[in-house]
Amino acid sequence: MDRATRKETISALHQENILHAAEQLFAEKGIAATTMDDIARSAEYSKRTVYLQFPSKEEIHDRIVLKGFLQLKDHILRSLDGHEGFLLKYRVLCASLMAFYEASPFLFGRIVDFQTQPLHCPDLPQVKKDIFNVGEEINAALGEMVWLGIAEGTVMPCTRIKETILIYWSSLSSLIILANRKSSYISETMGTTPKGLLEYGCNLMLRMLVKEEEHGDKTAAGH
C-alpha cells in the first residue's frame, strides 16, 4: 500500500467513526442539540480532527442521510429482485419499507424529512448531488415496477408514474412513522395492530392504481 492509499484508508476510517458517533448522538439528542464538540468527544477525536474530515455539522448530517438513501436503495432492489408481477412486487415493496423502518427508524426519518435540491442549484455540495442521484435511482426502480403493472394490464394505463411514486412514498412513509408512534392508540381504539393498519393502508393505496377488475382479496398487501 503506497503512502497516498494509506492516507485515504486512514481518512475513510476516521470519517466512518465520526459518522457513527454523530448518528447515535443525532438519534439520542436531536440534531440541533448536538454540537461538533459532542461529536468529537463521542468519536474520541479532537475537534480539529473532526473539522479536518468534515467542514460542518450539516456536512456530517448529509453524509448520514446519503448512507440512509444508499441503504434504502439496496434494500428495495434486493427485495424486488426475483419476484414476478406487479402485485407481488407491490406487496414485497410494502413489507420491505416497513422492515427498513424497523431496522433503522432514525435513518428512515431523516430520509423522509430531507429536502432534496435539484442539481441545477448554484453551489450545491457534492453530497447533496449524490443524495439527489440516489433518490432518482430509487424512483427509476419504482417506475419500472409501475410500468410493469401497466404492461401487464394490472395498473390503469392513465397512471402518471412520477406523480404516483411521489404520492405513494409520501403517503406510505408518513403512515409507517405514524403507525409506530401511535401503536397504543391504534390497538386501543381500532382493534388492530400497527402492522395491520399498515397492511390496510397499502391495500387502500393499491386500489388507486389497479384496474377495477383487479380489486379483491388478491390485491391486499401482505395477504
Side-chain angles (χ1 to χ4, degrees):
M1 182 184 297
D2 59 35
R3 184 174 181 180
T5 302
R6 184 171 181 274
K7 185 176 180 180
E8 289 177 3
T9 301
I10 293 173
S11 178
L13 178 61
H14 290 336
Q15 290 183 13
E16 183 179 346
N17 291 337
I18 292 166
L19 290 173
H20 178 71
E23 183 178 341
Q24 289 185 317
L25 288 170
F26 289 163
E28 293 168 5
K29 297 179 58 174
I31 297 167
T34 300
T35 66
M36 292 292 269
D37 284 316
D38 294 330
I39 295 170
R41 212 164 23 246
S42 180
E44 299 183 345
Y45 290 118
S46 67
K47 190 160 75 168
R48 179 177 179 276
T49 299
V50 173
Y51 273 111
L52 283 173
Q53 300 299 327
F54 301 103
S56 66
K57 187 172 72 172
E58 181 182 7
E59 173 80 10
I60 292 174
H61 168 264
D62 289 350
R63 285 283 297 275
I64 292 170
V65 172
L66 175 60
K67 182 183 81 169
F69 268 88
L70 289 167
Q71 289 183 0
L72 178 61
K73 184 186 80 168
D74 182 64
H75 193 78
I76 289 174
L77 293 179
R78 282 189 290 105
S79 297
L80 295 179
D81 186 43
H83 295 284
E84 300 295 331
F86 171 79
L87 293 177
L88 180 55
K89 286 181 179 292
Y90 180 88
R91 289 194 289 270
V92 169
L93 176 64
C94 287
S96 174
L97 292 178
M98 295 176 203
F100 185 84
Y101 175 88
E102 292 173 1
S104 307
F106 174 75
L107 288 179
F108 190 95
R110 297 323 303 158
I111 291 170
V112 171
D113 292 339
F114 188 77
Q115 298 296 316
T116 305
Q117 298 171 275
L119 293 179
H120 60 72
C121 290
D123 302 321
L124 189 68
Q126 184 60 46
V127 64
K128 292 186 185 292
K129 294 179 183 178
D130 293 340
I131 291 171
F132 179 90
N133 288 329
V134 176
E136 289 299 284
E137 290 171 5
I138 294 172
N139 289 339
L142 299 181
E144 289 179 7
M145 186 185 77
V146 179
W147 268 119
L148 173 64
I150 294 173
E152 290 176 341
T154 303
V155 174
M156 292 182 292
C158 61
T159 300
R160 291 154 59 178
I161 293 179
K162 288 188 176 181
E163 291 93 328
T164 297
I165 292 170
L166 182 59
I167 292 169
Y168 172 83
W169 164 251
S170 61
S171 300
L172 182 56
S173 61
S174 298
L175 182 59
I176 289 172
I177 293 173
L178 177 68
N180 283 275
R181 290 179 179 174
K182 299 284 187 178
S183 57
S184 297
Y185 175 79
I186 292 167
S187 299
E188 293 171 5
T189 65
M190 301 178 189
T192 187
T193 62
K195 182 179 179 181
L197 179 66
L198 288 169
E199 290 176 348
Y200 179 68
C202 284
N203 190 39
L204 280 181
M205 285 183 277
L206 179 59
R207 289 176 182 272
M208 295 187 295
L209 291 176
V210 299
K211 292 181 177 179
E212 190 67 29
E213 61 267 22
E214 296 292 337
H215 287 180
D217 290 342
K218 70 176 181 177
T219 66
H223 295 287

